[in-house]
Amino acid sequence: SRKGVFLIDWWNCQTWAAAPAEPGGLPVGLAASHSPKLGQALGRAAELSFEGQVIIERFVEGVEFGGDAWIQDGRIEALFVTRKDMQGTIVRGHLRPAGLSSVHHEALADTLERHVRHAGYLSGPLNFDVRLTGEGIPIVLELAPRLGGNWIPQLIAYSSGADLFEAVVRNALRESVSLEVLKLRPAASFVIGSGEDRLLEEDIPVDDVKNAIGPLIELELDFRAGDRVEPFRDSAQQVGRALFDLESARYEEVTAELERTLTPWLAPTRPPARPEAER
């Protein structure tokens, strides 16, 4: 086996997820225990790892949620849950509200707080990834004492009014932190990629794209003219991020519209969304 590969309960699980072993390493492939694709998943994960190390995680069936929380005195003071838009093992977006029932929300909060308590984490931000099984049991995939990526804090600020960036700074300065939720506005963040290798011959006109899509609130792109964009296989190849207001728009439709608008520069990463009448 490859150096740094950790096998857990191998023979009692049918499907595995392979991920770089560093903190925050996201799964890059799924494979059955005896499938040739397992080697491909391990190779891809090792390629993305700084140390060439891979961890194999048992794949948990269920709906995936994420988000950020604020921990004060070892307890969850504020919890902001997102429902993830997954493309295989790749996170494409986060939506709020997450659509959890009050029972499932409470179960998730209790589970996270129990992990925080056992870890001895007293104060600061908490990023989390959780799967809710068909039986309604929250399974923690990962916890990290930081804010989330993929514009999770920006989504939380827009949808609830809670500024987690300010909270982190205040906490570092030993000042009191108060995260009052002022609203709950439907919104989503979206990870932008390209379906194929592209050389950008010109800058993508961010303002023009924003003006063309009404629900698009913010758009940030990491590439400029002359840069080469790799095909989107995981978050390492993301081109940028977008923030949408979903008060009167559907997530599937506005993300598809964004990909169509960006086609002069980037190749679509998903099939076109079907019209409502065809669903």
Side-chain angles (χ1 to χ4, degrees), residues 123-157:
S123 177
L126 181 76
N127 177 245
F128 58 88
D129 297 301
V130 175
R131 274 189 181 252
L132 191 68
T133 69
E135 294 76 29
I137 301 172
I139 305 295
V140 175
L141 304 180
E142 182 179 347
L143 296 176
R146 59 172 175 82
L147 296 179
N150 297 335
W151 271 19
I152 293 176
Q154 289 89 334
L155 169 61
I156 291 170

Side-chain angles (χ1 to χ4, degrees), residues 94-114:
H94 291 264
L95 294 85
R96 280 183 49 82
L100 283 172
S101 68
S102 58
V103 172
H104 289 155
H105 189 278
E106 184 176 344
L108 190 153
D110 289 344
T111 300
L112 290 175
E113 194 164 279
R114 188 166 64 251

Side-chain angles (χ1 to χ4, degrees), residues 48-64:
L48 292 174
S49 169
F50 294 114
E51 301 295 333
Q53 296 186 346
V54 177
I55 185 168
I56 296 181
E57 306 168 348
R58 186 177 65 178
F59 179 70
V60 178
E61 295 284 354
V63 181
E64 191 154 339

Side-chain angles (χ1 to χ4, degrees), residues 153-162 183 185-187 217 243-246:
Q154 289 89 334
L155 169 61
I156 291 170
Y158 184 79
S159 66
S160 69
K183 55 196 172 188
R185 178 186 296 168
I217 305 302
L243 181 66
F244 292 101
D245 186 307
L246 299 183

Side-chain angles (χ1 to χ4, degrees), residues 10-265:
W10 174 266
W11 296 108
N12 293 326
C13 182
Q14 294 183 343
T15 307
W16 294 89
E22 287 80 15
L26 298 175
V28 295
L30 297 177
S33 296
H34 306 289
S35 168
K37 291 184 178 180
L38 182 59
Q40 298 174 13
L42 291 176
R44 177 61 179 154
E47 178 186 328
L48 292 174
S49 169
F50 294 114
E51 301 295 333
Q53 296 186 346
V54 177
I55 185 168
I56 296 181
E57 306 168 348
R58 186 177 65 178
F59 179 70
V60 178
E61 295 284 354
V63 181
E64 191 154 339
F65 296 88
D68 286 338
W70 188 262
I71 308 302
Q72 194 67 44
D73 299 324
R75 300 183 63 86
I76 293 179
E77 181 174 287
L79 177 62
F80 306 97
V81 184
T82 70
R83 178 169 61 84
K84 289 188 180 183
D85 169 23
M86 303 295 296
Q87 185 175 332
T89 60
I90 306 170
V91 180
R92 294 306 309 270
H94 291 264
L95 294 85
R96 280 183 49 82
L100 283 172
S101 68
S102 58
V103 172
H104 289 155
H105 189 278
E106 184 176 344
L108 190 153
D110 289 344
T111 300
L112 290 175
E113 194 164 279
R114 188 166 64 251
H115 281 72
V116 166
R117 187 166 58 251
H118 285 306
Y121 187 39
L122 297 178
S123 177
L126 181 76
N127 177 245
F128 58 88
D129 297 301
V130 175
R131 274 189 181 252
L132 191 68
T133 69
E135 294 76 29
I137 301 172
I139 305 295
V140 175
L141 304 180
E142 182 179 347
L143 296 176
R146 59 172 175 82
L147 296 179
N150 297 335
W151 271 19
I152 293 176
Q154 289 89 334
L155 169 61
I156 291 170
Y158 184 79
S159 66
S160 69
D163 190 336
L164 289 171
F165 291 121
E166 179 180 334
V168 168
V169 173
R170 286 185 174 276
N171 190 60
L173 296 174
R174 300 289 193 270
E175 297 179 0
S176 62
V177 174
S178 177
L179 289 169
E180 182 181 0
V181 177
L182 304 177
K183 55 196 172 188
L184 185 54
R185 178 186 296 168
S189 63
F190 179 67
V191 177
I192 302 167
S194 178
E196 60 186 39
D197 184 274
R198 288 282 180 93
L199 177 65
L200 294 182
E201 297 182 355
E202 60 181 6
D203 288 342
I204 300 175
V206 171
D207 290 339
D208 291 348
V209 174
K210 289 173 63 176
N211 291 334
I213 304 173
L216 179 57
I217 305 302
E218 292 293 341
L219 176 64
E220 180 179 76
L221 299 173
D222 302 328
F223 292 81
R224 301 181 63 88
D227 292 338
R228 181 169 294 280
V229 176
E230 297 180 5
F232 186 74
R233 293 186 292 176
D234 51 63
S235 58
Q237 288 86 37
Q238 64 177 271
V239 177
R241 293 143 301 279
L243 181 66
F244 292 101
D245 186 307
L246 299 183
E247 190 72 52
S248 58
R250 288 172 51 88
Y251 174 79
E252 295 82 1
E253 293 174 355
V254 292
T255 54
E257 184 180 359
L258 176 60
E259 289 217 318
R260 285 195 301 271
T261 305
L262 292 174
T263 49
W265 305 276

